[in-house]
Amino acid sequence: MSTADPQVPAPGDPLTEHPILEGRHSDRAYSESLLAFVHRPAGRTWWALMGLGLAGTAVLAVAVGVTLFVGVGTWGNNIPVAWAFGITNFVWWIGIGHAGTLISAILLLFQEKWRGSINRFAEAMTLFAVTCAGLFPLLHLGRPWKFYWLVPYPSSLRAWPQFRSPLTWDIAAVGTYLTVSLLFWFVGLIPDLATARDTAKTPRARFWYGLASLGWRGSARHWRQWRTGYLLLAGLATPLVVSVHTIVSFDFAVSQLPGWHTTVFPPYFVAGAVFSGFALVLTLLIPARKALGIEHVVTPLHLDNMAKVLMATGWMVAYGYIQEHFFAWFSGNPFEMHATEAEFFGPYAPLFWMQIFCNVLVPQLFWFSRLRTNVVVLWVAALLINVGMWTERFLIVVASLSMDFLPSSWAAYRPTWVDWSLLGGTVAFFGTAFLLFLKFVPAVSVSEMKELQREVDASLQFRREQGTRPGGAP
Amino acid sequence: MSRQWVLGEFSSSEALVVALKDLRARGFEQLDAHTPFPVEETFEALGLKRSWLPLLTLGAGLGGAAFAYVTQWFTNAVDYPLNVGGRPLHSVPTNLPIAFELAVLSAALTVFGALMLLFGFPHVTHPVFDVESFRSASVDSFWASVAVDSEDAPKVEAALHELGARQVSVVAEGAR
């Protein structure tokens, strides 16, 4: 690097940008450093975490088994609270998945350069989160082995699904989302699997990566079509993200229940989804970038940007809260007004105020640039936001259901051990899948980093030729 | 008369682009470049045309949406009408979510399927993989490849050496 590098920020100066890549690395160095963790034998920490994850997944298996063999009666659900944990977890997990697609697809379309370092990561999260999410509506069917009745196949029953029910929309939305995310992820992955094949240390690894990369040889003809295809998939995934959580919010909004019966739900849910998703990306990215030794591509700039996104979406969520409660009051409808009053001062009030603290107050930390790049503050805040968003979903589902129109039909809700095991079990399963991903797949897009390095070089070259300094001083 | 691939390795994308243009000027057909990341200039040097993938995708998406809509209309309004509280049997708004989702699904599957067909994947036994040093094509080297009949191979080899290739190898079809 030259002596006067305009990319290096003056320490403590909030106005200089953090570099998008730390230092200058050759293509070979990128291939090696980004694949180092994949080619290394698994360490003790990885195995320890894996053991924990597998133990949790066993708990999940038990809970699913109990649900299948005994029935949904083992859950805490009752009438009127017929949805409870199942749908809460579903909405929460789906929401977490959305950040991955947002980072990958929407930022790709906006040509945001900083997405390259974290998109693979976030997309893998999407896949696993949607897998976890899909489990809940299935189990919640009561007779999960009949799930295919939701698909219009010419059956001997001579009956068709009821397409005016949001349940069938959910199947289409979640199924499509999982498939498209998988395709998008895999298409982006093929060139990197080829790099993994060509840098493999053992014949066995070479064989499997060779098989997985399908014979990618970096041909220019292929690259050209690959680029178009990747962009198309991004373009398809972008409206998909918005539509999926919109449909999830329709599950609630098409009904007449006080607390659900509002038009702000679709954007409110989408904003909440991105909010919680980004929080989980940060939760996982902060330890992983250290463990994988990829701090040169996931720089403070990325953390800074993600903190800004968190704050922005946090405000959108806050706007949703204001809207929801203001219009409940403004409607003059006694049932709607009661739903709001019950949230503020009723049995679920502690949860409500905790949610306000986690989702509205905590993101305000990110007004300060020092806190945006402080990994400890970021990590704790992200964790709190995850909790807060789960609480929000819980309140929307349970608080509204437990107190509807008739006081005679009100009932409280208590989760059982099966409910808790399903929630904790999916978290563990998610962690297990994520560990496997880190071990077997390049977690950062290698080819994109090489491209990005070229662009950074070109822009530095341009700046040097122009003789400008940051701040525009000649 | 067997087909052969002559592979030349270059150390930078700029050198590769110069070489490709030169090879085209000398009248060699069936050129290709192998790079670790997409290099815009190689597309131009090879004279690649615009991709027709977007149009295909649009068609697939519209087809998927139409299929979904017609399915919902037929099943719920024609073949098995269910009166749910007097709501309309053919309701446009409730049919739109699934129509949209299926449009996206068919378009995405089409993109993926078309890519696989265009690439001829899976194809893990391509002759170029016989050259061990070709493995750098996905790491940090830029390769030019020319597919020729076997009698023309020496000519291409000479040309590649002349253009400053670091190393040149020849692989034959059916080597495996």
Side-chain angles (χ1 to χ4, degrees), chain B residues 8-161:
Chain B
E9 184 187 27
F10 295 86
S11 52
S12 73
S13 57
E14 291 81 8
L16 173 72
V17 171
V18 169
L20 287 173
K21 283 181 177 156
D22 203 297
L23 286 169
R24 264 188 88 189
R26 295 183 192 206
F28 290 113
E29 299 286 319
Q30 302 201 331
L31 296 169
D32 204 348
H34 298 273
T35 53
F37 53 90
V39 181
E40 199 70 57
E41 293 81 8
T42 56
F43 304 156
E44 290 155 29
L46 293 168
L48 298 181
K49 290 184 192 62
R50 276 192 65 141
S51 172
W52 41 261
L53 209 54
L55 273 176
L56 183 80
T57 311
L58 178 69
L62 293 175
F67 171 77
Y69 196 94
V70 169
T71 302
Q72 291 178 84
W73 164 78
F74 174 76
T75 54
N76 282 188
V78 179
D79 196 46
Y80 196 86
L82 258 181
N83 186 340
V84 185
R87 290 175 181 78
L89 291 172
H90 173 213
S91 150
V92 177
T94 60
N95 288 359
L96 288 181
I98 296 185
F100 176 80
E101 296 302 324
L102 233 70
V104 172
L105 182 64
S106 14
L109 287 171
T110 306
V111 170
F112 186 74
L115 282 183
M116 290 300 116
L117 284 174
L118 283 165
F119 298 167
F121 281 2
H123 185 188
V124 294
T125 54
H126 193 279
V128 295
F129 293 126
D130 292 344
V131 182
E132 191 56 30
S133 56
F134 181 78
R135 300 203 167 267
S136 63
S138 71
V139 181
D140 62 349
S141 285
F142 302 84
W143 290 73
S145 87
V146 191
V148 285
D149 293 333
S150 47
E151 64 265 21
D152 291 340
K155 241 192 312 185
V156 184
E157 278 185 83
L160 280 169
H161 276 300

Side-chain angles (χ1 to χ4, degrees), chain A residues 248-301:
Chain A
V248 169
S249 80
F250 282 166
D251 294 353
F252 302 90
V254 298
S255 78
Q256 298 156 345
L257 195 77
W260 291 359
H261 191 47
T262 162
T263 47
V264 80
F265 262 40
Y268 168 42
F269 267 52
V270 174
V274 175
F275 184 54
S276 63
F278 263 78
L280 195 67
V281 172
L282 270 173
T283 312
L284 293 172
L285 191 66
I286 288 168
R289 70 193 269 262
K290 209 164 192 67
L292 269 58
I294 51 172
E295 282 149 315
H296 57 302
V297 295
V298 184
T299 67
L301 171 87

Side-chain angles (χ1 to χ4, degrees), chain A residues 123 164 176 206 265 411 439:
Chain A
E123 272 174 74
R164 284 163 293 172
T176 302
R206 179 188 277 200
F265 262 40
K439 191 73 211 94

Side-chain angles (χ1 to χ4, degrees), chain A residues 190 194 197 209-218 222, chain B residues 119 121-126 129:
Chain A
I190 293 172
R197 171 197 68 204
Y209 284 119
L211 216 54
S213 59
L214 303 176
W216 179 265
R217 18 180 213 285
H222 295 179
Chain B
F119 298 167
F121 281 2
H123 185 188
V124 294
T125 54
H126 193 279
F129 293 126

Side-chain angles (χ1 to χ4, degrees), chain A residues 344-377:
Chain A
F344 284 5
F345 313 110
Y348 295 105
L351 283 178
F352 175 79
W353 294 110
M354 186 179 100
Q355 157 205 308
I356 295 292
F357 169 77
C358 291
N359 296 350
V360 180
L361 294 181
V362 169
Q364 305 317 317
L365 290 172
F366 302 140
W367 287 106
F368 305 99
S369 68
R370 274 170 203 279
L371 297 182
R372 281 201 300 268
T373 50
N374 181 326
V375 287
V376 178
V377 172

